[in-house]
Amino acid sequence: MRLGRNLLVRGFTLLMVVVVTLLLMNVVLGATGFSDRMLNALINDQVRIYRQGLVQTIQDPTELQRIVNNYKDVLIEAYGLDKPWPMRLPQMIWRVMTFDLGKAKNAQTFKGSTEIYDLIAERLPKSILLITTSVGISALLGLTIGTKIATMPGSKIDRFFSNYSAFSYALPTWWTGILFILIFAQYLRILPPGGMYSAPPPTEAIPRFLDLLFHAILPISTLVLALSGSWIYLTRTMVLNTAQQDFVNVARAKGLPENLVMRRYIIRVAAPPIITNIILGLAGSLSGAILTETVFGWPGMGLLYWNAIVTVDEGLIIALTFVYTLIYVIARMILEVLYVFLDPRVEY
Amino acid sequence: MGFNAKDALNEFWSSRVSKLGVFFMVTLFAISFYVLVSYPSNFGTSYWNRPQHWADYPKAVPPTWTQMLTSDKKAQHQILVTDEVYVRDKGIRALEYSIRFNYKADEYPKFTSFSLSELTFYDDPPFVYLTLERPDGTVIEDLLFHSIPYPSPGDEPPFVKYVESPLRIYLPGSSEVNSALSRFVRSEYELGLTPLDIGNSGQEQYIFGTPDSEGNFDQPLTGSYTMKIRVETFHEDDTVGSVKFVVGGTVFGYMGTDTLGRDLAVGLLFGFPVALFIGFITSTLTTIVGSVLGIWGGYVGGRTDDVIQRVSDILNNLPQLPILIFLVFILGQNIWNIILVLVFFGWPGLTILVRSMVLQAKEEQFIEASVAIGASRSWIMARHIFPQVAPFIFTQMIFYTPSAILAEAALSFLGLGDPSLPTWGQILERGFQTGAIYLGYWWWIIPPGLLIVITALCFVFIAQGLEPVVNPRLRRRR
């Protein structure tokens, strides 16, 4: 079956993306001596705890030292610190995949856990909420406005959106966010400057949802502004290119009504490349979301990333880089599957 | 594909965006050239990121031109230095300096500070006295008294101090000054204000103002002031390098200052060559790698092509920013690391595009003819394939430049910029970190972002202008 094979090839490439990312990360960590340092810190931590436990029972300092040293040697061997880093690679990759990277230095969950896994599990849904909403709105805008202005090339509206797309390409997402805060939160004082809920957050469901919406307006607008420009323009170009094809002229010459030509002859042909490009644009929206979360203090993984950089928390940075790659790959895979169902002719 | 340079130029020049882009580009280059010529090469480490260098500047004040928007006359920043010394030998030996300055503002200065540098003494450390003569003839005696601390026990004369960084005393915050002002207002205006009252209500109004009938110091005394500085010494060979008095303005320069007192105009100017450098180096390297691999893979085909295709497919599918953050964090915040990482993830996009063009180009008959004559592969690639895709590659290079600038700015904003090279992104990051948005320091937030946008737009415009030249069949395309 061709369809299944296509998906398999696609899935394999995306799986390779994860493998390459893991390899790249761990080779870099190993070659720069970062992994040695991290393991050392981990071992020293455990040795310290072990020693504190023994101090009560063993009085003789030399005996204590000998036992502690023994324990340390066992740990060094267990973590593979006695071997050069290339030998440790499989183990290192496994630890990244299971988030076994120690505790976060300066971040904790709502319940107070500093386990990296817990932190990510808490922040992930908040990031996904922001990203999916913004990508959804942008895609909708891109498709509707793009096809609309394609019917009037050279008009004022068309030129406005072509300038808009150039601006949205040149505009740094985070700066747009900062400007929004300056204008809407600082001067006009009509929207909150950041966060996800008011403090204290409303407890009932409906006020709580409205509060969330109120806080989400600025971050979502920022992301939509960054993403929609190129998507509108892309749709417009694709539709316009298709509209200039001979078979469309034939359809028009047959006297078919314009909206039917648009629907049946143009959009149907232009849709697959448009969707492909929107899928490819996903990577850009992840980057935009990291920056937007940072600017607005949206408590997702992007803000966690920034915290990790500021507090020089390498374990958290490694984990987040891996999670973002994973999210990206999974989202891509979902879209690919949807896409194949929309257009079974697709071939790679 | 007939390609006429003159026609191409005409076509390019005929669009408005190209003209705008070229105009911006020339301006960017002119400013960058000026900066390269006039700035020291160690600007980042020795000036911009050294707080001592900015100690005499007012902190977080808006640009000077903002005073045109209000009717009030703002206090101008004045840094007054002198080394012209009068040596008094009768009685106690003293080095005397006098600094004259005009004060014309409708408000009080933001702060005042006194500094002294390069002091050499042989015996007991000298005493420093400041006395201010005001425009209305009143005199604030011993506004500041400071005794230089004794040298450390082991040291031998001559004792040399304040060479690296001067002795700097901020008048606000000095209890000495509060007492002097309390004495002054009592004797001159018969106002009973304790030193504590003075300290709590701001000293500048007592130094620079006179009371109205109700005893309020609302209006500064404008006119010519003279600050007399007297350094009483205990040895005839004692010397002082120079003295400085700073009247802190409430506005500064063309672009204002940040919370460290850094002149933002200076930092923003330095950002021009850095942005262009990052943009051009990254896009050039990316284009070279991307087009060489694209042409090679596309023309040679077979297994080579497969490998290049797979690798570029995978790299092109990585989420860029997280990997960028990771690599720059681990490898170190160095400009070359940032550039290399950007190149490493930038080339696949171009390779995929170039390859598809080469696949078409290599079917042309004159290439078959060259092969038949026995031309080598590299000859054909260099002489026949490359010229066909070159205009397209050039456009892509221009188009890629702003994304490198934007990527660096994003990294800087996340705190991963190269600290030795100040960029617009880093200036914004400082502003964001210190809460400039919430304090309303717009002059710190808007200009650097605007400069990034203008620079990026300039390249986008030129790329848009080039598009119809490269591909005449298409009107403007993405």
Side-chain angles (χ1 to χ4, degrees):
Chain A
M1 223 177 98
R2 252 243 312 276
L3 204 137
R5 221 198 94 228
N6 279 334
L7 274 180
L8 219 63
V9 171
R10 217 52 216 154
F12 182 72
T13 309
L14 289 174
L15 188 69
M16 282 309 288
V17 169
V18 178
V19 173
V20 166
T21 311
L22 278 171
L23 265 177
L24 180 85
M25 281 168 61
N26 284 295
V27 168
V28 169
L29 282 172
T32 50
F34 240 86
S35 88
D36 287 3
R37 250 177 292 155
M38 284 178 66
L39 281 181
N40 265 322
L42 203 71
I43 289 172
N44 286 338
D45 225 36
Q46 292 188 19
V47 166
R48 195 173 42 80
I49 294 167
Y50 183 72
R51 181 195 209 106
Q52 272 168 5
L54 281 185
V55 151
Q56 314 292 326
T57 47
I58 302 172
Q59 302 294 331
D60 182 16
T62 50
E63 178 68 8
L64 178 72
Q65 195 57 43
R66 198 184 58 79
I67 294 177
V68 167
N69 282 348
N70 266 350
Y71 181 69
K72 189 172 181 174
D73 288 342
V74 170
L75 279 181
I76 285 175
E77 206 167 322
Y79 282 107
L81 203 57
D82 51 342
K83 294 190 283 261
W85 67 268
M87 311 281 287
R88 278 204 310 270
L89 219 47
Q91 196 196 354
M92 281 158 65
I93 290 178
W94 179 250
R95 292 189 45 227
V96 173
M97 284 174 72
T98 52
F99 301 105
D100 178 15
L101 294 159
K103 288 179 194 296
K105 279 185 189 160
N106 203 4
Q108 50 177 252
T109 61
F110 225 62
K111 289 189 182 121
S113 163
T114 55
E115 293 297 330
I116 287 178
Y117 179 83
D118 293 345
L119 266 169
I120 287 173
E122 187 189 76
R123 303 290 187 101
L124 182 65
K126 296 172 181 172
S127 288
I128 290 187
L129 179 71
L130 183 68
I131 295 169
T132 44
T133 319
S134 315
V135 168
I137 295 175
S138 305
L140 208 67
L141 283 180
L143 293 176
T144 49
I145 300 180
T147 45
K148 188 86 202 142
I149 58 173
T151 57
M152 34 186 158
S155 67
K156 258 201 184 116
I157 285 198
D158 183 33
R159 253 178 298 156
F160 168 78
F161 277 106
S162 96
N163 287 333
Y164 170 70
S165 86
F167 263 105
S168 118
Y169 177 75
L171 213 58
T173 321
W174 41 282
W175 189 61
T176 320
I178 289 178
L179 280 191
F180 276 179
I181 294 178
L182 206 61
I183 296 168
F184 294 104
Q186 225 22 63
Y187 289 124
L188 301 179
R189 294 186 179 278
I190 48 174
L191 287 167
M196 202 169 165
Y197 292 106
S198 314
T203 43
E204 277 167 69
I206 293 172
R208 195 177 161 85
F209 175 73
L210 288 177
D211 192 43
L212 174 65
L213 211 62
F214 186 51
H215 281 80
I217 292 176
L218 282 185
I220 288 180
S221 315
T222 306
L223 264 177
V224 168
L225 195 70
L227 298 175
S228 60
S230 65
W231 291 357
I232 290 174
Y233 201 68
L234 194 94
T235 311
R236 172 230 182 238
T237 313
M238 296 283 179
V239 171
L240 201 60
N241 278 354
T242 317
Q244 286 166 344
Q245 304 267 341
D246 287 342
F247 68 88
V248 176
N249 283 337
V250 171
R252 286 213 180 94
K254 282 197 287 191
L256 293 178
E258 191 54 38
N259 61 349
L260 194 74
V261 174
M262 192 65 175
R263 250 193 358 253
R264 288 260 181 84
Y265 289 78
I266 301 177
I267 292 185
R268 199 169 273 186
V269 177
I274 292 172
I275 295 176
T276 308
N277 274 292
I278 288 185
I279 293 177
L280 286 175
L282 205 68
S285 59
L286 280 188
S287 311
I290 294 175
L291 295 161
T292 308
E293 283 183 17
T294 306
V295 171
F296 289 99
W298 185 268
M301 295 199 310
L303 187 64
L304 196 59
Y305 230 140
W306 185 69
N307 285 340
I309 294 170
V310 174
T311 56
V312 200
D313 192 337
E314 50 278 300
L316 204 47
I317 287 185
I318 295 166
L320 282 170
T321 308
F322 176 61
V323 175
Y324 267 105
T325 315
L326 221 53
I327 297 182
Y328 174 70
V329 165
I330 292 170
R332 278 291 300 269
M333 203 58 219
I334 294 173
L335 286 173
E336 302 284 356
V337 172
L338 283 180
Y339 186 30
V340 167
F341 278 109
L342 283 179
D343 183 18
R345 296 166 311 166
V346 68
E347 224 183 309
Y348 295 99
Chain B
M1 204 196 264
F3 204 79
N4 183 326
K6 205 174 157 218
D7 286 352
L9 206 65
N10 281 338
E11 169 79 42
F12 173 69
W13 198 242
S14 67
S15 83
R16 201 153 19 131
V17 284
S18 326
K19 280 183 194 143
L20 205 61
V22 169
F23 170 73
F24 277 145
M25 182 83 89
V26 170
T27 317
L28 292 180
F29 269 99
I31 295 173
S32 303
F33 182 72
Y34 164 76
V35 171
L36 285 180
V37 172
S38 61
Y39 276 47
S41 59
N42 56 353
F43 173 75
T45 44
S46 305
Y47 296 90
W48 186 252
N49 286 325
R50 230 181 98 233
Q52 301 96 297
H53 185 75
W54 305 99
D56 288 331
Y57 292 78
K59 318 283 178 259
V61 296
T64 306
W65 49 263
T66 52
Q67 68 176 339
M68 292 192 298
L69 310 175
T70 60
S71 55
D72 279 7
K73 232 182 178 165
K74 300 276 186 189
Q76 301 294 317
H77 193 68
Q78 302 187 53
I79 301 177
L80 308 144
V81 191
T82 184
D83 54 3
E84 240 176 79
V85 62
Y86 171 80
V87 182
R88 182 180 297 277
D89 278 331
K90 286 177 203 123
I92 300 167
R93 180 180 180 271
L95 308 168
E96 291 188 346
Y97 300 84
S98 119
I99 294 173
R100 267 175 75 95
F101 61 94
N102 260 315
Y103 195 77
K104 290 179 299 209
D106 295 331
E107 56 173 5
Y108 293 108
K110 199 164 166 97
F111 71 98
T112 44
S113 86
F114 166 74
S115 357
L116 179 154
S117 41
E118 291 163 40
L119 171 70
T120 311
F121 60 95
Y122 293 83
D123 200 343
D124 280 347
F127 295 139
V128 182
Y129 296 89
L130 261 61
T131 296
L132 184 67
E133 294 174 12
R134 311 204 303 170
D136 62 353
T138 51
V139 177
I140 310 180
E141 291 284 352
D142 298 342
L143 173 65
L144 179 75
F145 162 72
H146 184 81
S147 61
I148 306 289
Y150 275 88
S152 333
D155 288 358
E156 290 295 318
F159 309 106
V160 181
K161 290 187 111 170
Y162 310 124
V163 177
E164 295 280 300
S165 59
L167 161 75
R168 184 175 282 111
I169 301 164
Y170 287 95
L171 268 50
S174 153
S175 57
E176 203 61 56
V177 173
N178 291 345
S179 310
L181 287 171
S182 171
R183 283 197 301 276
F184 170 70
V185 293
R186 185 170 315 116
S187 65
E188 196 70 39
Y189 305 115
E190 293 168 354
L191 290 169
L193 289 167
T194 64
L196 204 63
D197 295 336
I198 305 258
N200 288 343
S201 54
Q203 301 154 318
E204 278 74 27
Q205 52 179 324
Y206 305 107
I207 303 178
F208 289 92
T210 47
D212 56 18
S213 51
E214 282 153 37
N216 294 324
F217 289 76
D218 285 337
Q219 193 56 35
L221 200 57
T222 56
S224 166
Y225 287 78
T226 308
M227 177 63 82
K228 300 255 186 204
I229 297 136
R230 193 168 84 249
V231 182
E232 291 185 356
T233 65
F234 298 94
H235 192 279
E236 56 189 9
D237 291 332
D238 290 4
T239 57
V240 167
S242 64
V243 292
K244 181 158 45 175
F245 186 67
V246 177
V247 183
T250 49
V251 287
F252 187 84
Y254 295 106
M255 286 293 165
T257 61
D258 66 10
T259 45
L260 283 176
R262 294 190 284 203
D263 183 355
L264 287 170
V266 175
L268 289 173
L269 274 178
F270 190 76
F272 279 91
V274 180
L276 288 188
F277 174 79
I278 293 168
F280 273 116
I281 294 279
T282 312
S283 67
T284 309
L285 290 177
T286 308
T287 312
I288 291 173
V289 176
S291 50
V292 165
L293 288 178
I295 293 175
W296 192 36
Y299 186 72
V300 175
R303 182 151 297 174
T304 324
D305 189 30
D306 278 348
V307 171
I308 294 176
Q309 273 251 75
R310 281 295 134 238
V311 173
S312 52
D313 202 23
I314 289 169
L315 285 182
N316 203 33
N317 272 322
L318 288 175
Q320 255 213 24
L321 191 62
I323 306 262
L324 263 177
I325 292 175
F326 171 79
L327 284 177
V328 174
F329 179 80
I330 300 292
L331 298 176
Q333 291 166 236
N334 173 299
I335 193 72
W336 288 107
N337 283 344
I338 297 174
I339 289 174
L340 285 181
V341 172
L342 283 175
V343 172
F344 186 71
F345 291 100
W347 64 265
L350 186 64
T351 297
I352 294 169
L353 286 171
V354 169
R355 176 182 172 274
S356 67
M357 294 188 82
V358 170
L359 285 184
Q360 275 178 21
K362 81 174 188 185
E363 299 303 324
E364 305 245 356
Q365 285 191 338
F366 71 93
I367 294 192
E368 255 176 70
S370 305
V371 177
I373 299 169
S376 74
R377 274 202 223 159
S378 48
W379 168 268
I380 293 175
M381 279 190 266
R383 298 300 294 263
H384 296 314
I385 305 272
F386 175 69
Q388 290 195 64
V389 289
F392 171 78
I393 290 174
F394 181 66
T395 313
Q396 283 299 312
M397 181 173 137
I398 300 282
F399 199 72
Y400 189 73
T401 313
S403 65
I405 295 174
L406 289 170
E408 191 280 332
L411 275 177
S412 292
F413 176 70
L414 289 170
L416 289 172
D418 184 338
S420 66
L421 275 183
T423 61
W424 295 326
Q426 286 177 39
I427 292 176
L428 258 167
E429 188 255 347
R430 287 317 320 157
F432 179 71
Q433 282 258 36
T434 41
I437 327 171
Y438 311 109
L439 296 167
Y441 299 158
W442 54 268
W443 59 92
W444 192 358
I445 297 292
I446 293 177
L450 211 57
L451 287 175
I452 295 173
V453 173
I454 290 174
T455 309
L457 268 183
C458 150
F459 288 95
V460 175
F461 283 161
I462 290 182
Q464 278 187 348
L466 281 172
E467 206 83 68
V469 181
V470 177
N471 204 343
R473 263 187 327 125
L474 296 175
R475 277 172 301 176
R476 291 214 239 110
R477 230 193 181 197
R478 202 175 101 88

